[in-house]
């Protein structure tokens, strides 16, 4: 089994992060602790996979001076990447942590319009992968058809790649209809939107996740629940793990860190339950660091050691 984890990000971003004493309208807000990170779902996953000792390549669409800056940041971080050039400029997003309240304000840009030849080139780049796992993560930028991830999943299946998807909305719905995904990782809000109903009761959430597995859309469903931990569903049943108690310094990229650690563990041959525990540990490590998706290998290992027992899964498919 290959432990190589490639990622595809159609709508990457430059993530700017800073802190301010208070956030208020009209007047200038002086910020401190500014940092810039290469961002976007798959970019974050690749960065964390590399930090955890895995082999990776980030396939990105990037353009303009901001696209070049994104590449520079990836190179500084030692993340192998392949760029599909686009005419539009790579987006910039900004997060401000208000020190007085501990609240985090996120300003997320839509991103450039991507032409058909550009997104087709991304599919072609993914088609050149010959083994391992492919994580497609993030929003679809303007111009990309809603069935893009469904096409990617079908292509990956033909290639023998294990395809993991972290997105939302119609793109997720159509990809699940295509089926054959190895893993999806929605947040609770994204999963509720997918299912079209509130899922605040544990039994309702577990049943809905098992419905997706039963339908063949994805072999595993991991739903991240923020401060309430996470839920895993497979053919063997469901499992919940609580969130680890850490000091929260920023939540941007926590879900991507979870997905990176879980996917890498699966690629290395771990069981789904063990891989799930690694995901919970990496998510906790990410929120305890400022900036976008900055868990360290040592922190993830230490937090994983705190998960001393993983409960048995319940409610296996007949």
């Amino acid at each position: 089994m290959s432990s190589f984890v490639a990622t595809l990000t159609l709508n990457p971003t430059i993530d700017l992060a800073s802190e301010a004493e208070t956030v208020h309208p009209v007047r200038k807000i002086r910020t401190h602790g500014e940092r810039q990170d290469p961002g976007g779902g798959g970019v974050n996953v690749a960065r964390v996979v590399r930090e955890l000792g895995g082999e990776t390549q980030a396939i990105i669409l990037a353009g303009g001076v901001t696209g070049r800056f994104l590449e520079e940041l990836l190179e500084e971080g030692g993340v192998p990447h392949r760029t599909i050039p686009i005419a539009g400029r790579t987006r910039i997003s900004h997060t401000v942590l208000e020190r007085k309240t501990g609240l985090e304000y996120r300003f997320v840009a839509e991103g450039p319009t991507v032409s058909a030849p550009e997104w087709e080139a991304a599919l072609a780049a993914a088609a050149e992968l010959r083994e391992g796992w492919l994580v497609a993560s993030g929003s679809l930028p303007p111009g990309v058809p809603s069935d893009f991830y469904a096409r990617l999943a079908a292509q990956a299946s033909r290639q023998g790649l294990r395809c993991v998807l972290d997105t939302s909305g119609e793109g997720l719905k159509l990809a699940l209809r295509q089926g054959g995904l190895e893993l999806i990782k929605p947040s609770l809000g994204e999963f509720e939107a997918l299912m079209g109903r509130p899922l605040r009761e544990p039994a309702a959430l577990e049943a809905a996740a098992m419905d997706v597995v039963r339908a063949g859309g994805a072999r595993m469903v991991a739903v991240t629940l923020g401060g309430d931990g996470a839920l895993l569903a497979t053919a063997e049943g469901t499992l919940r793990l609580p969130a680890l108690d850490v000091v929260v310094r920023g939540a941007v990229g926590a879900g991507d860190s979870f997905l990176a650690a879980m996917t890498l563990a699966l690629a290395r041959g771990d069981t789904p339950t063990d891989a799930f525990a690694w995901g919970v540990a990496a998510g906790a490590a990410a929120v305890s660091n400022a900036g976008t998706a900055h868990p360290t290998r040592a922190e993830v290992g230490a937090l994983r050691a705190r998960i001393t027992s993983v409960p048995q899964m319940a409610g296996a498919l007949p």
Side-chain angles (χ1 to χ4, degrees):
M1 177 183 292
S2 173
S3 60
F4 177 74
V5 179
T7 71
L8 174 61
T9 313
L10 298 176
N11 204 10
T13 178
I14 305 297
D15 277 344
L16 307 181
S18 60
E19 297 181 5
E21 188 59 33
T22 58
V23 176
H24 46 73
V26 183
R27 289 181 295 168
K28 291 180 180 178
I29 300 169
R30 300 293 180 182
T31 61
H32 312 276
E34 290 84 1
R35 65 180 304 148
Q36 304 87 35
D37 290 308
V43 168
N44 296 334
V45 170
R47 289 172 50 227
V48 176
V49 166
R50 181 188 177 280
E51 170 62 27
L52 297 179
E55 184 183 0
T56 189
Q57 181 190 52
I59 301 171
I60 61 171
L61 272 64
V65 65
T66 47
R68 293 192 291 276
F69 184 32
L70 175 66
E71 291 182 290
E72 180 182 313
L73 291 172
L74 286 170
E75 287 159 7
E76 286 178 0
V79 179
H81 60 280
R82 174 176 177 179
T83 300
I84 309 300
I86 62 172
R89 295 185 181 92
T90 295
R91 62 182 175 153
I92 299 174
S93 298
H94 193 193
T95 299
V96 178
L97 177 67
E98 187 179 54
R99 292 173 175 170
K100 184 176 181 179
T101 62
L103 296 175
E104 191 173 66
Y105 295 85
R106 300 185 188 183
F107 304 90
V108 181
E110 181 180 44
T113 297
V114 174
S115 68
E118 290 166 348
W119 62 257
E120 287 168 354
L123 273 179
E128 295 179 17
L129 299 170
R130 290 291 173 259
E131 60 179 358
W133 293 64
L134 172 61
V135 178
S137 180
S139 60
L140 293 173
V144 177
S146 57
D147 69 345
F148 178 90
Y149 286 133
R151 301 187 197 197
L152 181 69
Q155 176 178 284
S157 180
R158 293 192 298 269
Q159 294 167 242
L161 294 175
R162 296 174 184 263
C163 189
V164 175
L165 180 61
D166 185 8
T167 192
S168 59
E170 191 69 11
L172 175 58
K173 185 180 297 185
L174 294 176
L176 286 171
R177 190 177 300 168
Q178 164 65 39
L181 294 168
E182 195 71 14
L183 168 67
I184 63 168
K185 190 223 64 64
S187 66
L188 177 58
E190 291 167 343
F191 195 57
E192 288 179 326
L194 173 71
M195 304 308 290
R197 61 185 186 275
L199 297 168
R200 301 295 159 152
E201 294 299 321
L205 177 59
E206 291 161 14
M210 289 301 291
D211 284 344
V212 173
V213 174
R214 186 178 293 108
R219 191 170 75 85
M220 291 173 279
V221 176
V223 184
T224 49
L225 308 172
D228 292 325
L231 167 77
L232 173 66
T234 76
E236 273 60 61
T238 60
L239 165 68
R240 278 177 176 262
L241 284 177
L244 293 167
D245 186 18
V246 296
V247 176
V248 177
R249 296 183 176 175
V252 181
D256 299 324
S257 300
F258 175 106
L259 185 62
M262 183 170 179
T263 302
L264 180 59
L266 289 167
R268 288 172 167 172
D270 285 10
T271 66
T273 53
D274 284 341
F276 181 57
W278 277 107
V280 170
V287 300
S288 64
N289 286 281
T292 298
H294 281 284
T296 68
R297 193 186 315 191
E299 289 170 328
V300 174
L303 288 167
R304 176 64 181 88
R306 285 169 52 181
I307 306 175
T308 54
S309 64
V310 178
Q312 294 293 315
M313 302 192 81
L317 293 179

